[in-house]
Amino acid sequence: MNTQQDNDIQSANRFSRAIGWLWHLLGSVKLAFILILIIAAVSLIGAFLIQVPLETARDPQAYAAWVQNVATAKVGGSASLLYHLQLFNVSGSLWFLCPGVLLMLNILICSLNRWNSIQRALRGGAVKQQDSFFTGGSADARKEITSVPLSQTEAAQLLETALRRRHYRVRVEADSENTYIAADKNRYFRLGTFVSHLSLILFVLAFVFGGLMGWRNTDFEVNEGATADVGHDTNLSLRLDSFVAEYYADGVTPKDYRSQVTLYDNGQEVKEALVRVNYPLSYQGVSFYQSSFGATLIIQMQVSQIDTSTTLYEGGVTLKSMGSGYYVGNLDLPDQNYTVYVIGSTNAMDPMIPAESVYADVVGGDGSEVYDLVQKGIPISINGLEFTYSDDSTSQYSVFQVSRDPTNMLIWIASGLFILGISLFFYFPRRQVWGLSQRQGEGNSRLLIRTIAPHNFSNTSEIEALTKDFGKDSPVQRR
Amino acid sequence: MAGLENLFLWLSLAGIVVTIILAIMEFLARRKAMLALAKKEPASPPQTAAAGRNSLGIAGDALTILTILFISLTLVFRGILAGHGPFSDMYEFALAFAWGIVVMGAIFQWRYKTAAVKNAGFIIALLLLIFAIVEHTSPPPLVPALQQSTLLSVHVASGVVAYGTLTIGFGAAILFLIQNRRNSLWLPDKEVLDKISYQAVVIGFPFLTLLIVLGALWADIAWGKYWSWDPKETASLVTWLLYAAYLHARVMRGWRGRRAAILLIVSFAAILLTFFGNYIFTGLHTYNG
C-alpha cells in the first residue's frame, strides 16, 4: 500500500471519527440538560425584564420608538444596551433561538439513537441470564426461594402463572437443569418518551409554520349595525348585528360581553353566530375571538369664543369608551390654540358626571387649564369659551381578534400526544422480571427472581406480591 | 356561608399548627427516650428507641386527616359562596395549594411510612394559609375569560396536584441536605429521602405539564393565542424546564443525592416565583386580590 492511499484512509477515518464524535455530542443527554438550563435562564430574564409586544418587535421603527419611550422609562439608560443584547425580545433573540434549535436537533438525534434499544425492549431481551445476574443488584430487587417442593418445571410453571395473572408477557427457555423465565409488562409505554419528545418537535414546527402561513389582526373593530371587511387573503366581511355588555354591581367589572354577528363570504351570508370570550367563531380556518369592546358617545355641541362671539365649532364630538367606565374624546381647535378634552360617564348613576352631562377640560394656548361640568341644554362658559350641549347619541362597537392559523389542529394534536406520552412513560413504567428455576435433586428446586423497575420506584412491593402469589398455589419455604 | 368558610379557615390553620407542634413534641419525646435508653443500656442499638410510633405520632396522623377535612370544607363553603369552583383569586389558589400539599403529604406518609416529609410540607402549607388569611376577601366577580368552568377547574386542579406533590419533593430535598450532613436518627434514611424527592417529581411532572398545556389551549380559546410570553406564562415555562432538566439529569445521567436535591430546591423556587408572579409581574394573569 502506498503512502498516498494510507493518508487517504487515515483522513477518511479521522473524518468519520469527527462525524461520530459530533453525532454523539449532539445526541447526548448531557447537552440536552445544558440546553434546557440555558433556555430556562434566558426565559427567566424575559419574565423579569419588560418585553416588547411581538407586533411592535416586527417593525424596526416602532421597536426603536418603543425602546425610546417605554423601555427607557422602565430601565433608564441601560435600555440601549439591553436592546442591542436583544433582551427586550427574549423569545426572538439568538440567546433563545440558538439553544432552541440545538435542542430540537438534540431531541431528533437522541430519539434516533434510542430507537434500537426501544426495539430491543419491544422484542424483549435474552431470556437466559447468568446465575450472577440473579444474585447481583440491590437486595430489594431479588428474591431466592430454596427447597421448593416441586420439580424444576412445575416451579417455573407456577411462577409463570403468577406473572401472567399480573399481566406480564412471559417467555420461557429450559434445559435439563434450569428453566429460565423472562417477563415484562408495559413495554409499549416505553414509546411514551418517543411520543412526547417528538410532539415537542411537532409543537415547534406548528408554531413556526403557523406564524409563516397564517395572519393575525388583533384589532378588528366593528360598529354596531355596520359591516367591516376582514381583508388579508379572504373575501369575508363581518356585520355586528347587536352587542351587549353586562357589568357586575360595581359597574366597572365586565360580567359578560357578546356580539351577535353575521358573516359574509363574497357578500353571501354564510354564518350567524354569538361570539363571546371563550366562544370564538370559526369559518374555513379563520377565527374571530371576542377581544374587547367599547361604546361611542356623540355629543352635538356648539363652542363659541365669548369675547368675539364667534362660533368656533358646531357639530358632533366623538367620545370613546374602552370599557373603563368613562367616555373620552377631544376637540382640537388649532386656529384658536385651544384643546378641549371631553369626558362622559358610562354609568348613569355616576355622582361626578351625572347623566346628560360631560366634563369639558379646556386647555388654552397660554397653558391655562380650566374644567367644568357641561349639562345638556344649559350654556356654560369655561376658560373663555362658551359650550352648548344640545343632544347626544350612543352606539356600541366590538373589537375582535381575527386570525388564520393553519397549524391550529396540529397544536392540539401535539398537545394531546405530549401529555399522553409523558403520562404513559411515568405512570406505567416498563417492568421486567427474570426467573430461574433450578433442579435440586428429585422433586425439589430452587427459585431465583430478579426485577428491574425503572424510575427508582420501590422494587420490593412487586417482588413481595409475586412471591405471595406464587406461595398461594404452593407450599414453599421462603428465605 | 361566609361564616362557615371563616370558621373552617381558622380550624385549618389550627390543625396545621397543632400537627407541627405534635411533630416537634414527638421528636423531643423520642430523643429523650433514646438518650435515657443509651444511659441505661449503652450497648443496645439506638434505633430501637427511634423506631415505632408513639401516641403523639398517632395523634399527629389523626390531626392530618382532620386538617385535610377542614381545608376541604373551607374550599367547599368558599365555592358555594362564590357560586363557582374556588379557583379565581390568590386567596383561593393559596388555599387549594395548601390542600394539595397536605393531601400529598399524607399520601407520601402512607406510602413511605415516614411523617417527616409531610411535616416539612406542612410548614409550607402553614405559610400559604397565613398568606391566604391575609389575602382573604369576599369572592371577586369573575371576568368573562375565567367563565369557562371546565377548563378553569381542570387547569387549576392539575396545578394543585402538581404543586402539592412538588412541594413534598422540595421538603424531601431539604431534609436530604440536612440528613446528608448530620445523619440524624430521627429523620428517614437519606436514600429514602432521595427516593421520595424523585418519586414526587415523577408524579408531579405530568401534572405540571398538563397545567401548562391546558393553560395554553385555554388561552387559544379565550384570547386566540396559545402563548403570549406573559410573565406568568414565562415563569411557568422556566419551572417546567427546570423540572425537565432534573428528570433528564436523574434518569439519564444518574444524578443522585446532593446535586439533585439542590436542583430540586432551585426548581421549587421557580414554582414560588410563578405562583406569586402576579405580585411581581404585570400581565394577563392579573387577578383581583
Side-chain angles (χ1 to χ4, degrees):
Chain A
M1 220 182 277
N2 63 37
T3 16
Q4 179 59 40
Q5 260 180 329
D6 239 19
N7 282 348
D8 280 357
I9 290 170
Q10 262 186 9
S11 66
N13 276 345
R14 224 175 291 140
F15 180 71
S16 68
R17 263 207 307 277
I19 292 286
W21 176 82
L22 194 66
W23 183 266
H24 179 75
L25 175 78
L26 281 176
S28 77
V29 180
K30 189 176 184 176
L31 180 69
F33 177 73
I34 293 168
L35 291 172
I36 292 172
L37 287 185
I38 292 175
I39 295 173
V42 173
S43 303
L44 195 63
I45 297 175
F48 276 104
L49 190 66
I50 180 173
Q51 296 290 296
V52 65
L54 293 181
E55 282 75 22
T56 313
R58 281 194 201 106
D59 176 1
Q61 272 188 336
Y63 193 177
W66 180 90
V67 172
Q68 196 121 63
N69 302 324
V70 185
T72 308
K74 276 266 184 187
V75 297
S78 52
S80 165
L81 176 70
L82 292 171
Y83 167 71
H84 284 109
L85 287 175
Q86 303 183 328
L87 293 180
F88 288 127
N89 182 19
V90 161
S91 63
S93 72
L94 291 176
W95 310 111
F96 186 85
L97 295 177
C98 288
V101 169
L102 272 179
L103 186 62
M104 290 305 122
L105 204 61
N106 174 267
I107 289 175
L108 213 58
I109 294 177
C110 199
S111 298
L112 285 175
N113 286 347
R114 233 180 313 159
W115 180 240
N116 281 339
S117 82
I118 299 249
Q119 263 195 326
R120 248 197 324 275
L122 294 186
R123 275 200 311 268
V127 177
K128 274 189 188 176
Q129 299 286 349
Q130 302 277 333
D131 283 15
S132 60
F133 173 76
F134 290 97
T135 48
S138 67
D140 58 2
R142 56 188 149 87
K143 189 100 188 173
E144 183 184 350
I145 307 171
T146 49
S147 322
V148 183
L150 295 168
S151 76
Q152 162 206 340
T153 330
E154 285 167 333
Q157 271 171 355
L158 220 55
L159 179 63
E160 192 184 333
T161 313
L163 283 164
R164 286 202 193 277
R165 202 178 293 146
R166 301 180 67 78
H167 309 292
Y168 278 85
R169 167 182 70 162
V170 184
R171 293 171 304 143
V172 185
E173 280 177 25
D175 54 35
S176 57
E177 294 293 317
N178 303 295
T179 303
Y180 296 92
I181 288 179
D184 64 353
K185 69 173 171 188
N186 297 343
R187 63 185 184 279
Y188 285 108
F189 296 162
R190 269 291 298 272
L191 288 170
T193 159
F194 257 112
V195 171
S196 55
H197 279 102
L198 294 179
S199 60
L200 265 181
I201 294 180
L202 198 60
F203 266 128
V204 173
L205 289 181
F207 189 77
V208 170
F209 282 106
L212 289 177
M213 294 152 63
W215 47 263
R216 183 184 301 278
N217 178 2
T218 53
D219 194 23
F220 182 64
E221 191 180 307
V222 191
N223 285 314
E224 199 170 17
T227 307
D229 289 333
V230 172
H232 294 278
D233 54 357
T234 73
N235 290 313
L236 298 177
S237 49
L238 190 78
R239 183 188 141 86
L240 179 62
D241 300 323
S242 67
F243 180 83
V244 180
E246 286 169 15
Y247 291 85
Y248 284 102
D250 65 2
V252 182
T253 313
K255 187 176 182 180
D256 187 22
Y257 40 102
R258 43 187 189 264
S259 306
Q260 181 66 47
V261 297
T262 311
L263 185 67
Y264 299 91
D265 191 354
N266 270 323
Q268 294 291 309
E269 182 182 325
V270 287
K271 221 167 184 177
E272 269 185 31
L274 186 66
V275 181
R276 297 168 61 200
V277 179
N278 281 321
Y279 301 94
L281 157 67
S282 287
Y283 174 75
Q284 292 186 349
V286 179
S287 300
F288 297 80
Y289 301 87
Q290 180 73 61
S291 152
S292 63
F293 63 93
T296 314
L297 172 68
I298 298 172
I299 308 265
Q300 298 301 322
M301 188 115 72
Q302 188 188 4
V303 185
S304 46
Q305 200 154 21
I306 295 172
D307 47 8
T308 58
S309 309
T310 48
T311 302
L312 301 181
Y313 184 83
E314 188 165 10
V317 184
T318 305
L319 279 61
K320 281 197 162 190
S321 146
M322 288 291 290
S324 66
Y326 292 96
Y327 292 107
V328 182
N330 60 318
L331 181 60
D332 266 322
L333 305 167
D335 294 347
Q336 280 69 34
N337 253 334
Y338 279 107
T339 303
V340 183
Y341 297 97
V342 189
I343 302 162
S345 177
T346 56
N347 180 2
M349 311 300 281
D350 193 312
M352 297 286 289
I353 313 175
E356 304 202 320
S357 62
V358 289
Y359 256 101
D361 182 357
V362 183
V363 183
D366 54 358
S368 63
E369 184 177 351
V370 182
Y371 57 89
D372 209 338
L373 200 63
V374 183
Q375 287 171 289
K376 192 172 179 178
I378 307 172
I380 183 170
S381 66
I382 308 168
N383 206 5
L385 297 182
E386 189 182 67
F387 290 83
T388 313
Y389 169 170
S390 55
D391 203 1
D392 58 50
S393 64
T394 55
S395 69
Q396 304 257 30
Y397 64 91
S398 185
V399 184
F400 302 90
Q401 174 175 290
V402 192
S403 60
R404 182 200 284 286
D405 187 351
T407 56
N408 194 302
M409 205 52 182
L410 219 52
I411 297 253
W412 281 79
I413 292 171
S415 301
L417 288 177
F418 193 44
I419 295 287
L420 183 76
I422 285 183
S423 309
L424 290 184
F425 183 69
F426 284 116
Y427 294 154
F428 303 94
R430 178 177 182 228
R431 291 178 187 281
Q432 289 170 276
V433 177
W434 286 269
L436 170 57
S437 169
Q438 282 180 325
R439 198 173 115 95
Q440 279 193 327
E442 204 51 50
N444 248 322
S445 55
R446 174 169 92 125
L447 190 67
L448 295 159
I449 304 174
R450 167 84 199 268
T451 66
I452 291 185
H455 312 325
N456 209 13
F457 281 133
S458 178
N459 291 308
T460 329
S461 54
E462 190 71 4
I463 280 231
E464 273 170 5
L466 259 175
T467 37
K468 209 168 139 191
D469 231 23
F470 179 81
K472 255 199 298 202
D473 304 324
S474 124
V476 290
Q477 294 157 9
R478 280 179 216 138
R479 188 164 65 185
Chain B
M1 288 307 148
L4 281 171
E5 179 202 336
N6 238 322
L7 172 73
F8 282 109
L9 177 60
W10 286 100
L11 279 175
S12 308
L13 184 76
I16 289 186
V17 170
V18 178
T19 310
I20 293 174
I21 291 173
L22 281 178
I24 294 170
M25 281 168 64
E26 188 195 0
F27 168 77
L28 292 175
R30 272 192 190 185
R31 189 183 142 93
K32 208 173 136 194
M34 208 197 81
L35 291 177
L37 193 75
K39 238 182 222 168
K40 221 164 61 184
E41 295 173 60
S44 83
Q47 278 88 345
T48 44
R53 311 224 63 196
N54 57 24
S55 53
L56 285 167
I58 293 164
D61 292 353
L63 256 173
T64 302
I65 292 169
L66 266 182
T67 306
I68 293 175
L69 190 72
F70 290 154
I71 306 182
S72 307
L73 285 172
T74 315
L75 285 166
V76 166
F77 287 117
R78 174 67 170 194
I80 295 172
L81 182 70
H84 52 76
F87 301 135
S88 61
D89 67 357
M90 282 307 280
Y91 159 76
E92 293 170 357
F93 291 145
L95 214 56
F97 189 172
W99 184 88
I101 296 173
V102 175
V103 170
M104 285 304 163
I107 292 175
F108 272 82
Q109 176 178 354
W110 167 73
R111 178 82 175 78
Y112 283 95
K113 312 291 174 232
T114 166
V117 175
K118 178 201 73 185
N119 291 331
F122 263 48
I123 294 173
I124 308 280
L126 174 67
L127 296 177
L128 278 169
L129 268 195
I130 292 172
F131 168 77
I133 286 170
V134 171
E135 285 288 310
H136 192 181
T137 49
S138 53
L142 221 49
V143 297
L146 292 182
Q147 295 168 14
Q148 222 303 348
S149 52
T150 316
L151 273 170
L152 177 64
S153 306
V154 184
H155 174 64
V156 178
S158 44
V160 168
V161 178
Y163 284 9
T165 319
L166 295 173
T167 305
I168 297 301
F170 164 73
I174 293 274
L175 292 181
F176 175 89
L177 289 184
I178 296 172
Q179 199 57 329
N180 204 24
R181 293 189 150 211
R182 301 174 48 110
N183 205 11
S184 153
L185 282 171
W186 304 292
L187 286 176
D189 209 46
K190 67 179 186 182
E191 271 74 40
V192 174
L193 290 167
D194 188 55
K195 209 166 180 175
I196 293 178
S197 65
Y198 178 45
Q199 189 163 12
V201 179
V202 165
I203 294 174
F205 186 72
F207 280 96
L208 189 68
T209 312
L210 188 64
L211 170 72
I212 297 175
V213 168
L214 282 178
L217 294 182
W218 181 20
D220 178 41
I221 294 173
W223 298 320
K225 213 168 176 194
Y226 315 97
W227 200 261
S228 316
W229 295 101
D230 168 73
K232 190 148 170 146
E233 278 175 9
T234 310
S236 76
L237 176 70
V238 172
T239 310
W240 187 84
L241 286 169
L242 287 174
Y243 279 104
Y246 170 86
L247 285 171
H248 281 86
R250 185 106 202 186
V251 177
M252 306 296 174
R253 300 202 42 79
W255 268 30
R256 294 277 181 281
R258 194 167 159 273
R259 278 192 299 181
I262 290 172
L263 185 53
L264 260 199
I265 290 167
V266 173
S267 309
F268 185 72
I271 287 194
L272 292 183
L273 178 73
T274 312
F275 186 79
F276 292 108
N278 4 347
Y279 295 92
I280 306 165
F281 321 121
T282 52
L284 293 165
H285 281 85
T286 40
Y287 330 92
N288 325 34

